[in-house]
């Protein structure tokens, strides 16, 4: 382990790395079931759902193994949120446009992901993606980490734990509980879901304060222990106050991986003829759109998380960035070949970094756990969203500390960072927020007579984002 991952050089141990990998896994395990839900329209149990489920586990693991052995970084990868929703919309539109079945349309759209992945491999090998990272102004780069922190807090407090009842839903903690005029209004609005909401709020904050208390004592496994405590509290609350068995799903769960369904529906099932039916202009536009979103989501996550972990130099550059970006690209190709949308670096990697993860052993551990989920997915599924929220809020708060590196006396820095701070949690897209930051930085420089301070590549990226945001196709 020492020879492969250089643990001493990075100030870590095998135990710390494994705990960090487990922490990362627990904060992102939701994607294992959520990704097939989103990509198949919640068609749980169908052959396509099973195929996407298997692809999610396998492609994520491949991406993380590459991150572990090529880049020796603690970052986890999986099909990206936002990108998977966009992919599902594309699949539905292709089906409506061509008259193909949903499965045939899905297999056609996988060609887009394959092309995107191949392009990214080429760009990574040629160092072009790394040059794009370096072209982002240092001030903007300094603001990425705290902006991601606000995004994590928004997910944890705002949208991670949705509750349904006979009155509809989903109901969320910030909007529907703390945002209600009075408790009576919240109770009337949520109906029977109100009790579950109370349990969710109590669990979320209890887990958060346990993590903080342990972290202040210097306990490296604080996030993991806090999540476990929160999970136990939630399970107990389900049994005592909701009258439900938190482990009921395990009794009827299948632990046999649905390999046959994946081979039938998604494994190397590229529908090239269906892809050609989309039309060249539409196909090229879709490929470019996926590339832009994925590229800057990945760059933002890598730069932001690495900054928080102290893995960047004085210029804000991360060693082995090329290898990390290449790992991400290989994960995307693996996702296309196995049957899922774009695989990207997950922002939840920050939870493992906070737990002390500093090397590829963290990513390797998380990848092994993802593979194991082909057999134990029902176990991962019982981790309550409220417990995950505790970790996301805590990590988000810590990433906000990166604001101390931003010069708020310099409008050239402050305005783009401020826009990213609000843009990232509201849009839900790291890439789009970075795009807004770069556009504002470029325009401010031009209007202040400092156009020459902006690099040519920053101009190009800003124009590409302007086209993406405003050119309807």
């Amino acid at each position: 382990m020492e020879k492969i991952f250089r643990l001493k050089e990075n100030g870590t141990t095998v135990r710390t790395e494994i705990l960090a990998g487990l922490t990362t896994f627990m904060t992102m395990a939701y994607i294992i079931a959520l990704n097939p839900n989103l990509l198949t329209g919640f068609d749980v149990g169908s052959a396509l759902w099973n195929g996407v489920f298997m692809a999610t586990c396998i492609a994520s693991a491949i991406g993380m193994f590459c991150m572990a052995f090529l880049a020796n970084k603690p970052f986890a990868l999986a099909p990206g949120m936002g990108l998977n929703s966009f992919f599902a919309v594309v699949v539905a539109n292709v089906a409506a446009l061509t008259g193909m079945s949903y499965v045939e349309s899905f297999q056609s759209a996988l060609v887009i992901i394959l092309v995107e992945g191949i392009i990214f491999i080429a760009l990574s090998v040629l160092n072009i993606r790394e040059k794009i990272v370096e072209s982002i102004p240092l001030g903007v780069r300094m603001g990425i980490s705290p902006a991601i922190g606000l995004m994590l807090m928004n997910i944890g407090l705002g949208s991670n734990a949705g509750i349904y009842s006979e009155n509809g839903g989903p109901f969320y903690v910030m909007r529907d509980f703390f945002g209600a005029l009075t408790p009576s209004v919240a109770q009337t609005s949520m109906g029977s879901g109100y009790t579950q909401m109370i349990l969710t709020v109590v669990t979320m904050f209890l887990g958060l304060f346990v993590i903080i208390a342990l972290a202040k004592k210097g306990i490296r496994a604080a996030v993991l222990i806090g999540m476990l405590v929160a999970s136990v509290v939630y399970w107990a609350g389900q049994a005592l106050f909701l009258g439900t068995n938190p482990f009921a799903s395990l009794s009827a769960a299948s632990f046999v991986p649905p390999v046959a369904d994946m081979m039938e529906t998604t494994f190397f099932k590229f529908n090239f003829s269906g892809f050609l039916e989309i039309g060249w202009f539409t196909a090229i536009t879709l490929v470019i759109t996926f590339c832009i979103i994925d590229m800057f989501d990945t760059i933002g996550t890598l730069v932001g998380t690495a900054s928080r972990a102290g893995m960047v130099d004085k210029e804000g550059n991360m060693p082995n960035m090329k290898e990390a970006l290449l790992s991400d690209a290989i994960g995307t190709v693996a996702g296309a070949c196995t049957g899922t949308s774009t695989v990207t670096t997950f922002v939840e990697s920050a939870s493992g970094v906070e737990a002390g993860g500093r090397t590829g052993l963290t990513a390797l551990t998380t990848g092994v756990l993802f593979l194991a989920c082909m057999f134990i997915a029902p176990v991962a599924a019982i981790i309550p969203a409220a417990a995950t929220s505790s970790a996301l809020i805590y990590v988000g708060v810590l990433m906000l500390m990166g604001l101390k590196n931003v010069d708020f006396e310099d409008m050239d820095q402050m305005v783009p960072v401020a826009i990213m701070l609000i843009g990232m949690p509201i849009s839900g897209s790291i890439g789009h927020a970075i795009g807004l930051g770069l556009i504002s930085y470029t325009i401010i420089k031009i209007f202040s007579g400092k156009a020459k301070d902006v690099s040519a590549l920053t101009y190009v990226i800003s124009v590409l984002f302007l086209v993406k945001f405003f050119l309807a196709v």
Side-chain angles (χ1 to χ4, degrees), residues 40-205:
T40 66
F42 290 82
D43 192 13
V44 181
S46 68
L48 181 59
W49 193 98
N50 289 336
V52 176
F53 160 76
M54 289 290 290
T56 301
C57 295
I58 295 171
S60 301
I62 291 173
M64 284 184 267
F65 293 160
C66 290
M67 186 67 74
F69 295 112
L70 291 180
N72 193 24
K73 297 297 180 186
F75 306 123
L77 297 91
M81 289 298 296
L83 286 163
N84 51 11
S85 298
F86 181 49
F87 181 86
V89 171
V90 169
V91 172
N93 288 341
V94 169
L97 180 68
T98 63
M100 290 186 286
S101 68
Y102 190 87
V103 173
E104 291 172 329
S105 176
F106 187 95
Q107 294 166 344
S108 300
L110 286 178
V111 178
I112 299 172
I113 308 303
L114 176 65
V115 173
E116 175 200 352
I118 293 173
I119 291 173
F120 276 172
I121 288 177
L123 293 178
S124 299
V125 171
L126 296 173
N127 292 328
I128 296 175
R129 290 181 84 187
E130 193 171 5
K131 293 295 182 184
I132 292 174
V133 175
E134 294 171 357
S135 73
I136 299 175
L138 181 60
V140 175
R141 264 185 276 175
M142 291 299 181
I144 292 174
S145 177
I148 290 175
L150 279 183
M151 183 177 178
L152 286 175
M153 291 180 67
N154 185 53
I155 294 170
L157 286 167
S159 61
N160 191 48
I163 293 170
Y164 294 83
S165 72
E166 73 282 355
N167 289 6
F171 301 104
Y172 293 116
V173 171
M174 274 296 166
R175 186 190 68 191
D176 301 297
F177 183 76
F178 290 111
L181 188 63
T182 65
S184 298
V185 171
Q187 186 172 20
T188 301
S189 173
M190 296 179 213
S192 62
Y194 183 71
T195 304
Q196 186 180 352
M197 177 62 76
I198 294 292
L199 176 60
T200 296
V201 172
V202 171
T203 299
M204 180 185 299
F205 282 101

Side-chain angles (χ1 to χ4, degrees), residues 287-322:
V287 170
I288 292 173
T289 300
F290 272 101
C291 282
I292 292 175
I293 296 174
D294 182 26
M295 180 177 295
F296 285 93
D297 275 7
T298 299
I299 288 172
T301 302
L302 288 174
V303 172
T305 307
S307 297
R308 171 60 199 165
M311 296 180 183
V312 296
D313 58 25
K314 293 180 180 179
E315 286 73 41
N317 298 318
M318 183 185 79
N320 293 349
M321 175 64 82
K322 174 182 177 180

